[in-house]
Amino acid sequence: MSDNLNQQPLITLKNIRKMYYTDQIETLALKDINLEINKGEFISIMGPSGCGKSTLLNMLGLLDRPSTGTIEFEGKTLDKLSDKALAPIRNEKLGFVFQTFHLIPDLRVVDNVALPLLYRPMSNKERRERALNALKIVGLDARVNHFPTQLSGGQQQRVAIARAIVGEPPVILADEPTGNLDSHMGNEIMSILFDLNENRGTTIVMVTHDREQADQTQRTVRVFDGQLVH
Amino acid sequence: MLSHYFKMALVVLWRRKFMAFVNIFGIVITLLTLIVGVAALNSGLNPKKAARNTEQYLVIDEMCFTGERNTRNGGVGHQFYTRHLQPMQTPDKISFSTSAHSAVVFQQGQKLNFAIRRTDATYWEIMQHQLLEGRWYDQAELENGQFVAVINESLREQYFAGESPLNQSLRINGQTFNVIGVVEDEPETSRTSFSDIWVPLTTAPSANYQKEWIGDGQVLVWIEDASKRDLMARETQDLASQFEYVPDPTRYEQALFLAKTPLDNVSNKFLGENCTNLSHASTFISVIAAITLVFMLLPAINMINLNVSRILERAPEIGLRKAAGASNRLLVGQFLVETLVVTTIGGVVAFVIAPWVLAFMNNTLIRYGQLSMSLGVFMAGLGLILVFGLLSGVYPAWRMSKLAPANALRGGHRHA
Ligand SMILES: Nc1ncnc2c1ncn2[C@@H]1O[C@H](COP(=O)(O)OP(=O)(O)OP(=O)(O)O)[C@@H](O)[C@H]1O
Ligand SMILES: [Mg+2]
């Protein structure tokens, strides 16, 4: 942390609270979270199930608005930004691997992977080439024209990872990216992430239950009952 | 981007075939309802054939006698016609004819059913039937009670096997007529001009009709100068006040009737407003508009329902696209294209089917029908469906695109 003192953090969470309201119950999923993510870091988030890891990742990935508190991205406060202003940030700066993949069932694997590129100005040919390349990286170049339902859980996860990296975003947020993979494939994915982090300077925030994986990262953030524990 | 949306729309249609089918079916039914409804209304209001001139031509076919304690209504009786209507000053021509009755014609032991109408000679001058061969009967033949008949082309086809029927005889309800002319078919919906056989009024088996005050007659009025229609209205009012029911003047004191344009005629009949000298055309048009709306609304509501659930089901997709950087505008654009594609397919199918449906109605449901499709109505219907599609397909997508991606990904349930 010390070597980042005079560097501006990439993402800053200040006093973040997140309440969920259901029919009867209110859940305070995050309580007064303060967290800084610096450029080029590889951070792991650990904690028991239901403690708020995914909620926290949603905040960092600008996928949800906090109930109170502010989020800064590259020094800019975001809570007053419109969706229109957030869209290019999500598109260019952030790659997200969801815990439950979220592939579009109507689209073939290659089109699922190319999705973030769809919202960038480029030719269809280039989109396809880049998507095929990303699929090659995750070792799925033989399943290009399948539909998501025709893939195993692990294969779907790799499609989701390919989609997160296809646009070469400076930040990747991954929610248990190896949760459905065997240790061999898991290691493969980890080495892809490490490669992106080391050779391209990609900032990575990863939720994991795997202590070994967490130990390999530069910093581990522990969450318990919606709070950071030190 | 557009090509992606287009491809996406087709993919979605293809992968959700049943949904797509129901949706397109709804659109087609809506359009067909509209097309057929308007075609029927149009042929009722603007008959193209014999009764075509709507400005100069008026009909009296329903009237009502009212007294302190009694009312009676029905068609025009011949006695009322000769006493009160025939002497009117404003009409340039006035004619009395019966409505179309059923007539039995035997052909080689086979019983055929046709429609027969008894008319005066002026009928042919006011109506403008297309004469195919021969001639109409004239005043002299009417006065002499000559057994002459004009028939339509369908009867010529069926009874005379297409040969010229002129000077041939035709036995109808026990009377023998000499065929003197053939006219084009008139659609059954055109109440004043339709029939298969026309014969002089004076050939009626009994002269009882001459005593009738209320009967089954229709009176056609021709006013050369259409601006004199106000005058006509005043004259009929005067007439109502001078009315005297000779058989028993205390029984009925007033004769209410309206010399109607085709629109008034259809309107008042539809609304059951016969005992009146007022036009209910505007009410009629609003009622028809309301009915059409309801009929269109039923499939439309179904479509809206379907669309909304289709969009809700795709909430995760919307969330995902947002997370991948789609702006709200692009998302709405995607669903716009999908709606346009579905509407276009529905429109094309309806456009192809509509002529068949109308042909079926013309050939099977309405004798000698002449329903035709109006391109303007078709386009208006398509426009309306587009509005419904946008409301149901694009509006929910737009609402959902306003959600935070995380919420949409979870299925679009709202959270604060
Ligand atoms: N949409 C929601 N509505 C209501 N409550 C929610 C919602 N999402 C999460 N929660 C609640 O918020 C808390 C944190 O959930 P979250 O998904 O962040 O946990 P997690 O740490 O990611 O768990 P896991 O390791 O099982 O994925 C949980 O108690 C959960 O029940
Ligand atoms: Mg989670």
Side-chain angles (χ1 to χ4, degrees):
Chain A
M1 268 248 229
S2 56
D3 53 329
N4 286 320
L5 269 180
N6 43 15
Q7 196 192 325
Q8 191 185 53
L10 189 61
I11 312 174
T12 310
L13 303 185
K14 283 187 185 161
N15 304 318
I16 294 293
R17 278 172 158 251
K18 181 64 183 178
M19 291 276 258
Y20 287 117
Y21 301 94
T22 43
D23 289 344
Q24 315 256 291
I25 324 155
E26 293 178 5
T27 312
L28 189 54
L30 295 177
K31 305 169 197 172
D32 303 310
I33 299 279
N34 287 289
L35 181 64
E36 290 182 356
I37 311 287
N38 297 306
K39 217 172 209 146
E41 269 194 304
F42 195 146
I43 298 180
S44 52
I45 299 178
M46 291 194 77
S49 176
C51 69
K53 304 181 295 296
S54 297
T55 308
L56 179 58
L57 215 59
N58 283 346
M59 294 296 142
L60 294 169
L62 316 184
L63 298 184
D64 211 349
R65 293 191 187 259
S67 304
T68 60
T70 54
I71 303 173
E72 287 171 18
F73 190 89
E74 291 180 331
K76 264 186 289 180
T77 306
L78 296 182
D79 51 318
K80 290 200 180 61
L81 283 192
S82 65
D83 245 356
K84 196 176 159 194
L86 289 177
I89 301 179
R90 291 184 188 123
N91 180 245
E92 288 157 28
K93 307 280 186 178
L94 298 163
F96 216 103
V97 182
F98 298 95
Q99 195 172 1
T100 49
F101 322 139
H102 289 308
L103 303 177
I104 298 180
D106 293 331
L107 291 182
R108 294 178 190 281
V109 164
V110 60
D111 294 322
N112 262 292
V113 172
L115 197 71
L117 304 180
L118 194 65
Y119 304 107
R120 293 187 193 179
M122 65 172 68
S123 71
N124 277 333
K125 190 165 160 266
E126 191 179 350
R127 289 188 183 114
R128 190 178 165 83
E129 272 165 16
R130 287 217 207 176
L132 292 177
N133 194 42
L135 280 167
K136 197 173 282 172
I137 291 174
V138 298
L140 262 185
D141 38 342
R143 294 283 188 278
V144 178
N145 287 318
H146 283 56
F147 285 100
T149 47
Q150 298 167 329
L151 300 181
S152 73
Q155 288 170 330
Q156 292 184 37
Q157 187 146 40
R158 278 142 71 195
V159 175
I161 292 165
R163 183 180 59 197
I165 65 174
V166 73
E168 302 182 353
V171 186
I172 288 178
L173 304 158
D175 203 343
E176 298 186 40
T178 61
N180 286 277
L181 304 179
D182 60 33
S183 63
H184 171 71
M185 201 61 227
N187 289 337
E188 203 105 306
I189 295 301
M190 285 307 292
S191 68
I192 293 168
L193 293 179
F194 277 115
D195 179 63
L196 288 172
N197 177 248
E198 277 157 25
N199 298 325
R200 246 191 245 149
T202 306
T203 309
I204 296 176
V205 183
M206 175 184 77
V207 173
T208 182
H209 285 293
D210 187 327
R211 184 174 299 276
E212 243 173 78
Q213 277 181 5
D215 287 345
Q216 291 176 296
T217 63
Q218 292 160 15
R219 174 154 71 112
T220 301
V221 172
R222 288 175 192 283
V223 185
F224 188 79
D225 199 16
Q227 286 176 302
L228 299 189
V229 286
H230 299 281
Chain B
M1 185 58 72
L2 206 63
S3 76
H4 170 82
Y5 287 168
F6 197 70
K7 201 173 120 192
M8 189 70 203
L10 293 179
V11 161
V12 167
L13 283 182
W14 185 244
R15 287 182 54 89
R16 295 157 202 241
K17 292 182 202 66
F18 180 70
M19 209 57 143
F21 171 78
V22 174
N23 208 338
I24 290 170
F25 188 75
I27 291 176
V28 171
I29 293 294
T30 309
L31 277 177
L32 288 180
T33 310
L34 191 72
I35 289 169
V36 170
V38 170
L41 200 61
N42 194 39
S43 88
L45 296 185
N46 303 309
K48 274 192 226 85
K49 289 187 166 179
R52 66 190 157 229
N53 201 325
T54 58
E55 279 290 299
Q56 292 158 297
Y57 149 80
L58 301 170
V59 186
I60 304 168
D61 63 354
E62 204 102 42
M63 49 190 301
C64 188
F65 291 173
T66 62
E68 218 161 302
R69 249 170 283 145
N70 305 291
T71 62
R72 191 171 159 219
N73 61 318
V76 181
H78 193 256
Q79 172 136 221
F80 180 77
Y81 169 71
T82 47
R83 271 179 193 265
H84 290 292
L85 298 179
Q86 213 170 17
M88 284 198 294
Q89 295 301 306
T90 324
D92 293 300
K93 287 172 188 167
I94 190 159
S95 142
F96 180 89
S97 49
T98 67
S99 56
H101 297 267
S102 140
V104 176
V105 174
F106 283 94
Q107 185 188 33
Q108 291 154 5
Q110 213 189 335
K111 203 170 133 187
L112 300 175
N113 248 310
F114 287 99
I116 185 170
R117 193 193 283 280
R118 293 177 200 272
T119 79
D120 59 16
T122 323
Y123 177 85
W124 297 111
E125 294 172 29
I126 297 178
M127 293 275 106
Q128 299 183 357
H129 289 79
Q130 291 301 306
L131 197 59
L132 296 178
E133 57 179 315
R135 59 183 182 85
W136 299 314
Y137 38 84
D138 57 21
Q139 192 62 28
E141 284 168 311
L142 177 79
E143 279 163 16
N144 297 334
Q146 300 263 312
F147 282 81
V148 288
V150 173
I151 64 173
N152 69 359
E153 49 182 320
S154 286
L155 183 63
R156 174 177 70 180
E157 205 56 45
Q158 286 182 57
Y159 192 80
F160 297 99
E163 276 174 41
S164 174
L166 296 185
N167 290 319
Q168 309 248 28
S169 63
L170 182 66
R171 259 190 94 69
I172 308 158
N173 293 353
Q175 295 179 315
T176 306
F177 290 85
N178 190 28
V179 178
I180 58 164
V182 180
V183 293
E184 266 184 15
D185 289 339
E186 282 290 320
E188 198 177 1
T189 44
S190 177
R191 289 176 44 113
T192 49
S193 62
F194 161 77
S195 193
D196 295 303
I197 305 159
W198 293 260
V199 298
L201 199 57
T202 44
T203 61
S206 111
N208 280 344
Y209 73 91
Q210 291 175 354
K211 296 192 196 123
E212 283 174 350
W213 284 73
I214 284 197
D216 78 331
Q218 60 178 22
V219 173
L220 309 178
V221 173
W222 183 265
I223 302 173
E224 202 61 50
D225 179 358
S227 64
K228 283 188 1 205
R229 266 166 49 187
D230 285 348
L231 220 60
M232 176 72 191
R234 235 170 297 144
E235 203 176 347
T236 52
Q237 298 239 299
D238 290 349
L239 205 145
S241 59
Q242 290 158 20
F243 170 69
E244 190 187 356
Y245 184 60
V246 177
D248 180 1
T250 59
R251 193 172 171 81
Y252 303 119
E253 282 132 24
Q254 257 199 339
L256 292 172
F257 61 91
L258 182 66
K260 290 167 278 193
T261 59
L263 175 61
D264 285 333
N265 199 14
V266 174
S267 308
N268 289 19
K269 280 227 170 61
F270 182 85
L271 295 170
E273 292 283 354
N274 298 319
C275 283
T276 180
N277 48 17
L278 301 172
S279 159
H280 287 82
S282 55
T283 320
F284 171 69
I285 287 173
S286 351
V287 169
I288 287 292
I291 289 176
T292 311
L293 209 66
V294 167
F295 262 91
M296 286 198 58
L297 232 50
L298 290 178
I301 286 170
N302 180 41
M303 190 174 89
I304 286 172
N305 208 349
L306 212 79
N307 261 341
V308 170
S309 63
R310 182 173 64 97
I311 303 296
L312 292 181
E313 195 184 307
R314 288 169 69 188
E317 179 188 329
I318 291 177
L320 181 76
R321 286 177 184 269
K322 275 197 81 158
S327 67
N328 293 353
R329 241 182 60 199
L330 286 177
L331 279 172
V332 169
Q334 175 186 344
F335 286 91
L336 194 81
V337 170
E338 283 187 22
T339 303
L340 288 178
V341 167
V342 171
T343 311
T344 306
I345 294 176
V348 167
V349 173
F351 193 79
V352 170
I353 293 182
W356 293 77
V357 173
L358 291 178
F360 169 78
M361 301 204 45
N362 284 340
N363 297 332
T364 316
L365 295 185
I366 305 166
R367 254 192 290 176
Y368 320 134
Q370 49 174 6
L371 300 183
S372 63
M373 181 158 114
S374 146
L375 199 66
V377 168
F378 176 80
M379 295 313 280
L382 207 59
L384 215 59
I385 280 175
L386 203 60
V387 170
F388 288 139
L390 296 185
L391 281 180
S392 58
V394 180
Y395 176 72
W398 177 75
R399 287 287 302 268
M400 209 166 306
S401 76
K402 297 257 167 213
L403 295 179
N407 284 343
L409 277 166
R410 271 189 301 260
H413 309 292
R414 253 185 191 288
H415 293 287

mmCIF file of all heavy atoms in Angstrom, chain B residues 181-205:
data_model
loop_
_atom_site.group_PDB
_atom_site.id
_atom_site.type_symbol
_atom_site.label_atom_id
_atom_site.label_comp_id
_atom_site.label_asym_id
_atom_site.label_seq_id
_atom_site.Cartn_x
_atom_site.Cartn_y
_atom_site.Cartn_z
ATOM 1 N N GLY B 181 -85.028 -7.614 -69.758
ATOM 2 C CA GLY B 181 -83.722 -6.984 -69.560
ATOM 3 C C GLY B 181 -82.887 -7.738 -68.537
ATOM 4 O O GLY B 181 -83.402 -8.499 -67.725
ATOM 5 N N VAL B 182 -81.571 -7.529 -68.634
ATOM 6 C CA VAL B 182 -80.637 -8.139 -67.682
ATOM 7 C C VAL B 182 -79.723 -7.033 -67.149
ATOM 8 O O VAL B 182 -79.188 -6.241 -67.921
ATOM 9 C CB VAL B 182 -79.772 -9.227 -68.355
ATOM 10 C CG1 VAL B 182 -78.806 -9.843 -67.343
ATOM 11 C CG2 VAL B 182 -80.643 -10.290 -68.988
ATOM 12 N N VAL B 183 -79.601 -6.972 -65.811
ATOM 13 C CA VAL B 183 -78.702 -5.980 -65.203
ATOM 14 C C VAL B 183 -77.603 -6.689 -64.412
ATOM 15 O O VAL B 183 -77.703 -7.869 -64.102
ATOM 16 C CB VAL B 183 -79.463 -5.018 -64.258
ATOM 17 C CG1 VAL B 183 -80.427 -4.143 -65.030
ATOM 18 C CG2 VAL B 183 -80.163 -5.785 -63.153
ATOM 19 N N GLU B 184 -76.556 -5.912 -64.085
ATOM 20 C CA GLU B 184 -75.449 -6.448 -63.289
ATOM 21 C C GLU B 184 -75.924 -6.793 -61.887
ATOM 22 O O GLU B 184 -76.867 -6.195 -61.377
ATOM 23 C CB GLU B 184 -74.343 -5.389 -63.163
ATOM 24 C CG GLU B 184 -73.269 -5.510 -64.207
ATOM 25 C CD GLU B 184 -72.160 -4.490 -63.968
ATOM 26 O OE1 GLU B 184 -72.087 -3.904 -62.877
ATOM 27 O OE2 GLU B 184 -71.380 -4.290 -64.914
ATOM 28 N N ASP B 185 -75.221 -7.741 -61.242
ATOM 29 C CA ASP B 185 -75.528 -8.091 -59.853
ATOM 30 C C ASP B 185 -75.320 -6.890 -58.943
ATOM 31 O O ASP B 185 -74.390 -6.122 -59.122
ATOM 32 C CB ASP B 185 -74.588 -9.214 -59.379
ATOM 33 C CG ASP B 185 -74.915 -10.542 -60.042
ATOM 34 O OD1 ASP B 185 -76.050 -10.691 -60.521
ATOM 35 O OD2 ASP B 185 -74.022 -11.416 -60.068
ATOM 36 N N GLU B 186 -76.187 -6.794 -57.948
ATOM 37 C CA GLU B 186 -76.030 -5.779 -56.915
ATOM 38 C C GLU B 186 -75.806 -6.495 -55.590
ATOM 39 O O GLU B 186 -76.487 -7.473 -55.301
ATOM 40 C CB GLU B 186 -77.312 -4.939 -56.822
ATOM 41 C CG GLU B 186 -77.457 -3.907 -57.916
ATOM 42 C CD GLU B 186 -76.445 -2.783 -57.752
ATOM 43 O OE1 GLU B 186 -76.210 -2.362 -56.604
ATOM 44 O OE2 GLU B 186 -75.897 -2.346 -58.774
ATOM 45 N N PRO B 187 -74.888 -6.017 -54.755
ATOM 46 C CA PRO B 187 -74.626 -6.729 -53.501
ATOM 47 C C PRO B 187 -75.845 -6.724 -52.571
ATOM 48 O O PRO B 187 -76.600 -5.758 -52.534
ATOM 49 C CB PRO B 187 -73.473 -5.953 -52.878
ATOM 50 C CG PRO B 187 -73.485 -4.630 -53.538
ATOM 51 C CD PRO B 187 -74.023 -4.838 -54.914
ATOM 52 N N GLU B 188 -75.976 -7.806 -51.837
ATOM 53 C CA GLU B 188 -77.089 -7.983 -50.910
ATOM 54 C C GLU B 188 -77.131 -6.873 -49.866
ATOM 55 O O GLU B 188 -78.184 -6.537 -49.338
ATOM 56 C CB GLU B 188 -76.899 -9.328 -50.202
ATOM 57 C CG GLU B 188 -78.105 -9.870 -49.538
ATOM 58 C CD GLU B 188 -77.823 -11.247 -48.936
ATOM 59 O OE1 GLU B 188 -76.680 -11.717 -49.038
ATOM 60 O OE2 GLU B 188 -78.755 -11.831 -48.376
ATOM 61 N N THR B 189 -75.960 -6.320 -49.574
ATOM 62 C CA THR B 189 -75.893 -5.284 -48.547
ATOM 63 C C THR B 189 -76.484 -3.967 -49.022
ATOM 64 O O THR B 189 -76.766 -3.094 -48.223
ATOM 65 C CB THR B 189 -74.431 -5.055 -48.138
ATOM 66 O OG1 THR B 189 -73.637 -5.003 -49.318
ATOM 67 C CG2 THR B 189 -73.943 -6.162 -47.236
ATOM 68 N N SER B 190 -76.632 -3.799 -50.323
ATOM 69 C CA SER B 190 -77.217 -2.563 -50.833
ATOM 70 C C SER B 190 -78.730 -2.729 -50.848
ATOM 71 O O SER B 190 -79.308 -3.241 -51.799
ATOM 72 C CB SER B 190 -76.673 -2.274 -52.229
ATOM 73 O OG SER B 190 -77.305 -1.130 -52.733
ATOM 74 N N ARG B 191 -79.391 -2.331 -49.771
ATOM 75 C CA ARG B 191 -80.789 -2.678 -49.547
ATOM 76 C C ARG B 191 -81.736 -2.129 -50.601
ATOM 77 O O ARG B 191 -82.780 -2.720 -50.860
ATOM 78 C CB ARG B 191 -81.237 -2.212 -48.159
ATOM 79 C CG ARG B 191 -80.622 -3.040 -47.055
ATOM 80 C CD ARG B 191 -81.012 -2.473 -45.709
ATOM 81 N NE ARG B 191 -82.416 -2.122 -45.677
ATOM 82 C CZ ARG B 191 -83.321 -2.744 -44.932
ATOM 83 N NH1 ARG B 191 -82.961 -3.757 -44.189
ATOM 84 N NH2 ARG B 191 -84.570 -2.350 -44.930
ATOM 85 N N THR B 192 -81.396 -0.993 -51.179
ATOM 86 C CA THR B 192 -82.325 -0.399 -52.140
ATOM 87 C C THR B 192 -82.198 -1.007 -53.531
ATOM 88 O O THR B 192 -83.178 -1.083 -54.263
ATOM 89 C CB THR B 192 -82.086 1.118 -52.253
ATOM 90 O OG1 THR B 192 -80.685 1.330 -52.444
ATOM 91 C CG2 THR B 192 -82.559 1.829 -50.998
ATOM 92 N N SER B 193 -81.009 -1.443 -53.896
ATOM 93 C CA SER B 193 -80.807 -1.840 -55.288
ATOM 94 C C SER B 193 -80.738 -3.350 -55.491
ATOM 95 O O SER B 193 -80.924 -3.835 -56.596
ATOM 96 C CB SER B 193 -79.518 -1.211 -55.826
ATOM 97 O OG SER B 193 -78.417 -1.681 -55.084
ATOM 98 N N PHE B 194 -80.496 -4.099 -54.393
ATOM 99 C CA PHE B 194 -80.302 -5.541 -54.537
ATOM 100 C C PHE B 194 -81.588 -6.263 -54.923
ATOM 101 O O PHE B 194 -82.670 -5.962 -54.435
ATOM 102 C CB PHE B 194 -79.779 -6.124 -53.221
ATOM 103 C CG PHE B 194 -79.977 -7.606 -53.095
ATOM 104 C CD1 PHE B 194 -79.142 -8.483 -53.767
ATOM 105 C CD2 PHE B 194 -81.023 -8.125 -52.336
ATOM 106 C CE1 PHE B 194 -79.328 -9.852 -53.673
ATOM 107 C CE2 PHE B 194 -81.219 -9.489 -52.239
ATOM 108 C CZ PHE B 194 -80.371 -10.360 -52.912
ATOM 109 N N SER B 195 -81.481 -7.205 -55.827
ATOM 110 C CA SER B 195 -82.525 -8.203 -56.096
ATOM 111 C C SER B 195 -82.016 -9.133 -57.189
ATOM 112 O O SER B 195 -80.942 -8.894 -57.755
ATOM 113 C CB SER B 195 -83.834 -7.557 -56.542
ATOM 114 O OG SER B 195 -84.863 -8.531 -56.501
ATOM 115 N N ASP B 196 -82.776 -10.193 -57.452
ATOM 116 C CA ASP B 196 -82.473 -11.042 -58.609
ATOM 117 C C ASP B 196 -83.458 -10.760 -59.735
ATOM 118 O O ASP B 196 -83.129 -10.893 -60.907
ATOM 119 C CB ASP B 196 -82.555 -12.522 -58.221
ATOM 120 C CG ASP B 196 -81.488 -12.910 -57.206
ATOM 121 O OD1 ASP B 196 -80.298 -12.713 -57.510
ATOM 122 O OD2 ASP B 196 -81.849 -13.381 -56.123
ATOM 123 N N ILE B 197 -84.680 -10.409 -59.308
ATOM 124 C CA ILE B 197 -85.749 -10.197 -60.286
ATOM 125 C C ILE B 197 -86.483 -8.907 -59.924
ATOM 126 O O ILE B 197 -86.774 -8.665 -58.750
ATOM 127 C CB ILE B 197 -86.758 -11.370 -60.246
ATOM 128 C CG1 ILE B 197 -86.036 -12.709 -60.459
ATOM 129 C CG2 ILE B 197 -87.877 -11.164 -61.267
ATOM 130 C CD1 ILE B 197 -86.834 -13.896 -59.945
ATOM 131 N N TRP B 198 -86.763 -8.088 -60.945
ATOM 132 C CA TRP B 198 -87.547 -6.873 -60.733
ATOM 133 C C TRP B 198 -88.767 -6.938 -61.654
ATOM 134 O O TRP B 198 -88.622 -7.248 -62.844
ATOM 135 C CB TRP B 198 -86.746 -5.629 -61.085
ATOM 136 C CG TRP B 198 -85.580 -5.335 -60.184
ATOM 137 C CD1 TRP B 198 -85.541 -4.436 -59.175
ATOM 138 C CD2 TRP B 198 -84.258 -5.891 -60.251
ATOM 139 N NE1 TRP B 198 -84.307 -4.394 -58.581
ATOM 140 C CE2 TRP B 198 -83.494 -5.291 -59.225
ATOM 141 C CE3 TRP B 198 -83.640 -6.865 -61.057
ATOM 142 C CZ2 TRP B 198 -82.154 -5.597 -58.998
ATOM 143 C CZ3 TRP B 198 -82.317 -7.169 -60.827
ATOM 144 C CH2 TRP B 198 -81.588 -6.548 -59.816
ATOM 145 N N VAL B 199 -89.946 -6.675 -61.094
ATOM 146 C CA VAL B 199 -91.154 -6.677 -61.931
ATOM 147 C C VAL B 199 -91.993 -5.459 -61.581
ATOM 148 O O VAL B 199 -91.825 -4.873 -60.501
ATOM 149 C CB VAL B 199 -91.969 -7.967 -61.708
ATOM 150 C CG1 VAL B 199 -91.169 -9.200 -62.104
ATOM 151 C CG2 VAL B 199 -92.436 -8.079 -60.275
ATOM 152 N N PRO B 200 -92.915 -5.061 -62.470
ATOM 153 C CA PRO B 200 -93.739 -3.884 -62.170
ATOM 154 C C PRO B 200 -94.594 -4.104 -60.927
ATOM 155 O O PRO B 200 -95.088 -5.207 -60.683
ATOM 156 C CB PRO B 200 -94.611 -3.734 -63.417
ATOM 157 C CG PRO B 200 -93.846 -4.426 -64.495
ATOM 158 C CD PRO B 200 -93.138 -5.554 -63.842
ATOM 159 N N LEU B 201 -94.735 -3.037 -60.153
ATOM 160 C CA LEU B 201 -95.518 -3.039 -58.929
ATOM 161 C C LEU B 201 -96.932 -3.576 -59.175
ATOM 162 O O LEU B 201 -97.506 -4.299 -58.352
ATOM 163 C CB LEU B 201 -95.605 -1.578 -58.464
ATOM 164 C CG LEU B 201 -95.959 -1.234 -57.052
ATOM 165 C CD1 LEU B 201 -94.983 -1.881 -56.088
ATOM 166 C CD2 LEU B 201 -95.903 0.287 -56.901
ATOM 167 N N THR B 202 -97.459 -3.220 -60.344
ATOM 168 C CA THR B 202 -98.863 -3.517 -60.655
ATOM 169 C C THR B 202 -99.101 -4.994 -60.971
ATOM 170 O O THR B 202 -100.239 -5.396 -61.183
ATOM 171 C CB THR B 202 -99.293 -2.674 -61.868
ATOM 172 O OG1 THR B 202 -98.229 -2.732 -62.833
ATOM 173 C CG2 THR B 202 -99.532 -1.241 -61.462
ATOM 174 N N THR B 203 -98.030 -5.800 -60.992
ATOM 175 C CA THR B 203 -98.248 -7.229 -61.228
ATOM 176 C C THR B 203 -98.483 -7.979 -59.933
ATOM 177 O O THR B 203 -98.579 -9.202 -59.938
ATOM 178 C CB THR B 203 -97.035 -7.856 -61.941
ATOM 179 O OG1 THR B 203 -95.902 -7.693 -61.097
ATOM 180 C CG2 THR B 203 -96.778 -7.233 -63.285
ATOM 181 N N ALA B 204 -98.556 -7.236 -58.828
ATOM 182 C CA ALA B 204 -98.783 -7.902 -57.536
ATOM 183 C C ALA B 204 -100.067 -8.719 -57.611
ATOM 184 O O ALA B 204 -101.044 -8.276 -58.224
ATOM 185 C CB ALA B 204 -98.878 -6.857 -56.434
ATOM 186 N N PRO B 205 -100.067 -9.920 -57.016
ATOM 187 C CA PRO B 205 -101.220 -10.817 -57.126
ATOM 188 C C PRO B 205 -102.502 -10.177 -56.602
ATOM 189 O O PRO B 205 -103.587 -10.486 -57.087
ATOM 190 C CB PRO B 205 -100.834 -12.014 -56.246
ATOM 191 C CG PRO B 205 -99.364 -11.953 -56.110
ATOM 192 C CD PRO B 205 -98.972 -10.528 -56.254
#
